[in-house]
Amino acid sequence: LSTHHAMVRRPRNTRLCFDEDVPADMVAEESGPGAQNSPYQLRRKSLPKRTVCPTKTNMEVRLSQNHLRETFRISAPAEQYLQEKLPDEVVLKIFSYLLEQDLCRAACVCKRFSELANDPILWKRLYMEVFEYTRPMMHPEAGKFYQINPEEYEQPNPWKESFQQLYKGAHVKPGFAEHFYSNPARYKGRDNMFYYDTIEDALGGGQEPHFDGLIFVHSGIYTDEWIYIESPITMIGAAPGKVAEKVIIENTRDSTFVFMEGSEDAYVGYMTIRFNPDDKSAQHHNAHHCLEITVNCSPIIDHCIIRSTCTVGSAVCVSGQGACPTIKHCIISDCENVGLYITDHAQGIYEDNEISNNALAGIWVKNHGNPIIRRNHIHHGRDVGVFTFDHGMGYFESCNIHRNRIAGFEVKAYANPTVVRCEIHHGQTGGIYVHEKGRGQFIENKIYANNFAGVWITSNSDPTIRGNAIFNGNQGGVYIFGDGRGLIEGNDIYGNALAGIQIRTNSCPIVRHNKIHDGQHGGIYVHEKGQGVIEENEVYSNTLAGVWVTTGSTPVLRRNRIHSGKQVGVYFYDNGHGVLEDNDIYNHMYSGVQIRFVEQNNTGE
């Protein structure tokens, strides 16, 4: 509209009349819901003595080539009244009948119209009609969506800003497509929007002009659709309130989503994804998942609820060379199998997810899988929290792993993960369990309040345990047995119910630079032919002996400070041996070093 035109939707061949005696209360009437709380004050400026109603000779009806609309040429006094003196509530009421493109055109008329046409209430109504969100969904760049609180946003009209960001898209809304396309006059100007009844139809509509790959899936349950993604589409749930809970995509026969080569930059977010087969234990479902991510693709999965009721396979399977998704802010819970399975050289970034109450491990990493897993909350699993095995690797940082039925973190069969700054606690058995030639680096973690030992190392395993706080366990701190190895270095081990470090049955670790103190039992306990090099540790204030060596064990103790114990400093008995060299042993309640010989009787006891 120019400054000489005002667009008002009304029946054809009617006239605009402005009467000199319009009461103020009638002007404010029908200003819409919330009129009493309008952000604009009612304008009650004095009206002209009389404004002559324009006749057909004063106005011109024309049809635009691009938009079928009516525009009227109004006399100068009427134009001035419309632009300058008509109360805000009346203008807002008129604007409330316009769609988004009409509002933008009205904003070009004059400064006052620009202010009123950008009213957040108008844009919120339009926005919720199209997208259903009760909070603006911002989309500043590809692969990034987040909702905001409008009152906390720095810009005055986040509804309009979000509308602009989301405008070109296809909408999946069962039953609405026919209504939309059968009312072209009502939805005139929304040429960049498409409506479909199914997700499959929307995926097949990628060749439509103006379609830029953005698909909104509206509230509802979508069952047994074949969703194979081979292009960089963006698919996001659209619903009021908690979006992901109201957009549910479910399959009972095949994987719910399959990402294939070509979906490098695809995005799926804000929806519930379920695999819910009728026969939950059928072996062929071992290859079916909620999400299946295959070779050479790197989609983004964001703010989804992922759940599988199948008792075989996994909820999410990432498999193959080049499979490198980003999975973030998702809930993978209550699955009757493994939550997240990464295998066959797959990688990926997994951040800020909640993985809980799964029947098997929360996360499996196998066969050279090498993910980056940060800030995940892995808890209340009915099995182990994280299980790496068969050469599985991975980098785990700042995860909270707790209250799992078996170990919080299990490493087996040449697996070699790196676990940094995680909290591993309140496990119903142990904290970290490394066995059958497992390896791994566990650095600067907090390992506490586990029912069994904080760290178990056995069966020729050789991990590095460095810089951790291992405390308040219901049994020991670090337990090395059954030919276990490992480097135990620079840890703070305290307050455990049994020995801070226990070495037994031919195990031979390197234990150095640790602080082992305030235990309810002894500091270091070496027995049943245990070995190892124990050097430059500080062992103090333990309830029993600082170091016990017994039953054929032969450790080397070198340059340790062993002090302030509540019993003996170093205690050799029952055929305990070893090398005691350059240690500083002092301030114990009983002797600094005690060597006890137990003579066998004739029965060999």
Side-chain angles (χ1 to χ4, degrees), residues 369-407:
N370 192 17
I372 296 173
I373 298 180
R374 294 192 185 100
R375 299 184 302 277
N376 292 276
H377 188 193
I378 305 165
H379 62 101
H380 289 94
R382 288 170 271 168
D383 197 87
V384 66
V386 179
F387 185 23
T388 58
F389 61 108
D390 291 351
H391 299 275
M393 297 181 287
Y395 179 79
F396 299 79
E397 181 182 3
S398 301
C399 296
N400 188 4
I401 305 171
H402 66 96
R403 290 179 172 84
N404 297 285
R405 190 179 69 83
I406 307 181

Side-chain angles (χ1 to χ4, degrees), residues 3-295:
T3 56
H4 298 291
H5 294 77
M7 183 176 67
V8 180
R9 297 187 180 272
R10 63 178 182 80
R12 191 181 293 271
N13 296 327
T14 59
R15 293 184 297 167
L16 294 176
C17 296
F18 300 95
D19 199 335
E20 63 176 319
D21 297 321
V22 179
D25 57 347
M26 291 182 63
V27 172
E29 191 177 31
E30 294 187 6
S31 56
Q36 300 302 319
N37 299 316
S38 172
Y40 296 95
Q41 296 181 354
L42 182 63
R43 296 186 180 220
R44 292 191 174 92
K45 295 186 177 182
S46 58
L47 302 180
K49 184 173 182 180
R50 183 166 186 82
T51 302
V52 179
C53 294
T55 65
K56 291 183 179 180
T57 59
N58 298 115
M59 63 178 67
E60 168 185 301
V61 179
R62 66 183 179 124
L63 295 177
S64 169
Q65 285 185 332
N66 299 322
H67 308 89
L68 294 174
R69 70 179 187 272
E70 297 171 358
T71 57
F72 305 91
R73 189 173 301 280
I74 307 172
S75 62
E79 177 186 327
Q80 181 183 14
Y81 180 84
L82 180 62
Q83 293 184 14
E84 299 178 6
K85 298 182 180 180
L86 189 67
D88 289 349
E89 279 77 4
V90 177
V91 178
L92 288 169
K93 181 63 176 178
I94 295 170
F95 284 178
S96 71
Y97 292 101
L98 306 184
L99 297 184
E100 56 278 356
Q101 289 193 8
D102 299 329
L103 270 181
C104 290
R105 293 189 184 97
C108 298
V109 172
C110 61
K111 182 177 180 181
R112 180 177 175 229
F113 274 25
S114 177
E115 292 176 354
L116 295 178
N118 282 287
D119 177 51
I121 297 174
L122 293 176
W123 282 96
K124 179 180 179 180
R125 180 190 61 80
L126 279 172
Y127 185 88
M128 292 181 64
E129 174 189 316
V130 174
F131 302 106
E132 296 191 58
Y133 300 123
T134 48
R135 292 190 297 150
M137 178 72 74
M138 309 310 292
H139 178 37
E141 59 188 56
K144 186 173 184 179
F145 293 85
Y146 58 91
Q147 287 189 290
I148 62 163
N149 293 319
E151 57 275 10
E152 298 176 0
Y153 195 63
E154 64 272 11
Q155 300 299 326
N157 194 348
W159 302 99
K160 181 179 178 182
E161 184 176 345
S162 178
F163 207 123
Q164 292 171 324
Q165 294 172 355
L166 304 179
Y167 191 49
K168 294 182 179 180
H171 295 257
V172 180
K173 195 172 183 179
F176 191 77
E178 182 179 355
H179 170 75
F180 179 82
Y181 292 114
S182 62
N183 291 275
R186 173 68 185 93
Y187 298 106
K188 180 175 59 179
R190 288 185 172 168
D191 300 330
N192 292 327
M193 294 185 188
F194 309 95
Y195 280 90
Y196 300 93
D197 288 327
T198 68
I199 297 171
E200 289 181 75
D201 289 344
L203 289 172
Q207 303 304 317
E208 294 278 0
H210 308 299
F211 178 63
D212 65 354
L214 178 57
I215 299 173
F216 296 95
V217 183
H218 288 262
S219 305
I221 299 176
Y222 303 80
T223 304
D224 289 337
E225 298 200 42
W226 297 87
I227 305 176
Y228 283 73
I229 298 178
E230 301 177 271
S231 61
I233 60 96
T234 295
M235 187 183 303
I236 184 170
K242 295 181 178 180
V243 180
E245 295 178 2
K246 297 180 180 178
V247 180
I248 301 171
I249 302 176
E250 177 180 271
N251 205 304
T252 62
R253 300 174 305 209
D254 200 354
S255 292
T256 311
F257 275 80
V258 179
F259 293 88
M260 306 176 72
E261 193 167 358
S263 60
E264 286 80 5
D265 297 314
Y267 174 97
V268 171
Y270 291 87
M271 57 183 66
T272 293
I273 302 171
R274 293 197 304 223
F275 178 53
N276 187 23
D278 296 327
D279 185 355
K280 302 186 186 306
S281 60
Q283 280 305 307
H284 68 276
H285 286 320
N286 192 57
H288 298 153
H289 317 273
C290 299
L291 288 171
E292 184 177 340
I293 300 167
T294 61
V295 297

Side-chain angles (χ1 to χ4, degrees), residues 399-421:
C399 296
N400 188 4
I401 305 171
H402 66 96
R403 290 179 172 84
N404 297 285
R405 190 179 69 83
I406 307 181
F409 207 111
E410 183 175 352
V411 183
K412 176 183 176 182
Y414 301 100
N416 189 20
T418 299
V419 183
V420 179
R421 291 184 290 278

